[in-house]
Amino acid sequence: MCSYHASFIEQYVYESPRHGGIMFDFARFRDPAYAKAIIKEIERLAADKIVRIVHVCGTHEDTISSNGLRAVLPNNISLIAGPGCPVCVCAAQDVDMIIELARRGHIITTFGDMVRVPSTNSSLAKERMKGADVRVVYGINEAVEIARKNPEREVIFMGAGFETTAPTFAVEILRGPPENFSILTSLKVIPPAMELLMNIEGFAVDGFITPGHVSTIIGTMAYEPLAKKYHVPCVAAGFEPLDVLEAVRMILLQIEEGRADSENEYTRVVRPEGNLAAQKVLRDAFYVDDAPWRGLGVIKGSGYYLRDAFAQHDARKRFDFPPMESVDILPGCQCHKVILGMIDPVECPLFGKRCTPDDPYGPCMVGHEGTCRIRHLNMAL
Ligand code: SF4
């Protein structure tokens, strides 16, 4: 079981007398007085320890960067962005496959970020400019609707995501989409990527801020084996500035007490066991197997794949593909190092020059969860 400690957030934010003990006034998650109290405690706990805390969520990076949280922490505490952007870690081979299907004249549906992801020698956006039928949707249900309205065409949905996104795909597949609908998934499982980080020589991780969205589905108990195996504190956090600061404080407290548990700062949303209904639809629609991550290679047990019962809706099985020599990392791009948290985006020589949010060269500059894009936009403020 995950251990649990009452947090500053619960004491000062949830238990607001103004709200009868239930607090949904989000302004208080940004309250400077509470922030100062947490930072003071962080400074006490940090003392002169060098502590490297890694998060694996693009939304956490956005919270950290846009609120200047690194600047308010002691210099000996580092917040490092790991592989938390689904578009960034989508293997080039998957993008090359959907480009191949676009070139055959099929209807391609996908999320907006995916359209601009550069692959080996093109992108869906470039293919659309050449006449391919590429349509942006906000959810897989819209893609299914397009298939229903176009029974004479093949409609393929390309979806990248983590445990948070995968249940929506599972539900549509289990509902029984039309015969002309298939999906090409690039769905990833987060804990194996965290374990990969623990095994990189010379890359120290003293604590993980675990992703709030993913934790909603898989629960904090999912990180307990990692916490115990590597003696690394894990804390699931929400996405307001106080959430992240509080997660840092909780990690430092574990370090001081010599503990390594999977704890929960995001108690207003995340449960230790997660969302059991979502976990069931995931099991019903998918099996888990090894998966390629862009620039990181194949990570054991890190991908969701459609079960054989749904093979007719699996684009990987429904279509034949020619041999592909996909290139994950284009010449000069440092995305593999950025995704692993080994370098800061500004250390890439292409950052802000050849590679910008308007004209991304690497995948980390594309989406709103991409570390390079977040850094670039916040530098421009
Ligand atoms: S700046 Fe561009 S090319 Fe460089 S690491 Fe970031 S996304 Fe990749």
Side-chain angles (χ1 to χ4, degrees):
M1 285 292 292
C2 308
S3 65
Y4 176 76
H5 293 260
S7 70
F8 268 46
I9 297 286
E10 285 169 318
Q11 285 175 282
Y12 295 119
V13 180
Y14 289 154
E15 295 177 7
S16 162
R18 286 192 296 135
H19 295 265
I22 300 174
M23 181 62 228
F24 290 106
D25 176 0
F26 283 94
R28 295 195 70 183
F29 287 94
R30 299 171 176 221
D31 188 311
Y34 298 141
K36 278 182 191 157
I38 298 173
I39 291 165
K40 198 170 166 199
E41 185 63 4
I42 286 173
E43 288 168 350
R44 184 189 74 74
L45 290 165
D48 55 1
K49 301 182 197 85
I50 305 288
V51 180
R52 287 165 50 87
I53 297 173
V54 175
H55 70 76
V56 286
C57 176
T59 313
H60 277 147
E61 181 56 29
D62 189 46
T63 300
I64 291 165
S65 291
S66 59
N67 291 285
L69 297 188
R70 289 189 175 91
V72 301
L73 291 175
N75 289 337
N76 48 326
I77 305 293
S78 303
L79 289 183
I80 298 155
C85 162
V87 164
C88 307
V89 299
C90 181
Q93 180 180 313
D94 292 346
V95 186
D96 286 340
M97 287 169 82
I98 199 70
I99 286 171
E100 167 69 20
L101 295 176
R103 287 173 178 166
R104 292 181 195 174
H106 303 315
I107 298 176
I108 306 300
T109 56
T110 191
F111 299 134
D113 286 356
M114 184 56 73
V115 172
R116 299 199 313 139
V117 172
S119 195
T120 306
N121 52 29
S122 188
S123 67
L124 285 173
K126 287 180 182 165
E127 296 302 316
R128 186 165 59 183
M129 281 192 280
K130 289 186 227 163
D133 192 347
V134 178
R135 308 184 191 184
V136 171
V137 293
Y138 291 97
I140 186 173
N141 55 317
E142 284 182 42
V144 170
E145 199 48 39
I146 290 170
R148 287 212 169 89
K149 287 179 178 162
N150 296 273
E152 75 293 353
R153 307 266 310 269
E154 290 283 347
V155 176
I156 303 111
F157 175 71
M158 165 74 172
F162 296 126
E163 291 92 331
T164 327
T165 315
T168 64
F169 295 13
V171 165
E172 285 299 333
I173 289 297
L174 293 170
R175 273 184 186 150
E179 200 272 331
N180 62 325
F181 177 80
S182 56
I183 62 175
L184 201 158
T185 59
S186 182
L187 295 170
K188 304 287 196 292
V189 184
I190 274 284
M194 294 165 65
E195 180 152 14
L196 176 87
L197 296 180
M198 295 306 303
N199 286 302
I200 295 176
E201 206 175 321
F203 186 78
V205 181
D206 300 309
F208 280 111
I209 297 176
T210 56
H213 300 138
V214 167
S215 302
T216 304
I217 304 298
I218 67 174
T220 50
M221 288 164 64
Y223 310 101
E224 195 70 21
L226 182 85
K228 295 302 175 208
K229 181 175 177 183
Y230 295 96
H231 197 76
V232 60
C234 298
V235 176
F239 299 100
E240 294 297 325
L242 290 194
D243 287 319
V244 174
L245 289 175
E246 174 62 357
V248 171
R249 185 193 72 82
M250 291 170 73
I251 288 169
L252 291 173
L253 187 62
Q254 286 199 41
I255 292 171
E256 174 157 289
E257 294 176 350
R259 293 184 292 111
D261 299 315
S262 177
E263 292 187 321
N264 187 8
E265 181 281 330
Y266 203 17
T267 53
R268 60 192 185 277
V269 174
V270 173
R271 300 283 169 268
E273 70 281 10
N275 182 326
L276 298 180
Q279 291 168 25
K280 180 175 184 329
V281 295
L282 282 176
R283 280 194 306 275
D284 289 348
F286 299 117
Y287 66 95
V288 170
D289 206 344
D290 305 347
W293 292 54
R294 191 158 189 162
L296 311 188
V298 173
I299 302 180
K300 202 169 162 47
S302 70
Y304 288 113
Y305 296 92
L306 274 179
R307 291 192 178 280
D308 284 346
F310 310 106
Q312 76 273 25
H313 298 298
D314 187 343
R316 294 175 197 275
K317 294 176 179 158
R318 189 178 178 102
F319 302 99
D320 289 326
F321 294 93
M324 292 180 178
E325 295 195 1
S326 299
V327 178
D328 266 348
I329 302 300
L330 299 174
C333 175
Q334 303 289 307
C335 280
H336 51 308
K337 294 181 185 170
V338 170
I339 290 168
L340 283 174
M342 299 176 86
I343 66 166
D344 190 274
V346 298
E347 293 177 61
C348 173
L350 307 183
F351 181 87
K353 301 180 183 99
R354 169 65 188 83
C355 187
T356 64
D358 287 338
D359 187 14
Y361 182 71
C364 296
M365 193 61 91
V366 174
H368 64 278
E369 292 185 289
T371 307
C372 294
R373 179 186 172 88
I374 292 169
R375 178 59 54 87
H376 194 278
L377 293 180
N378 282 289
M379 286 175 78
L381 285 176

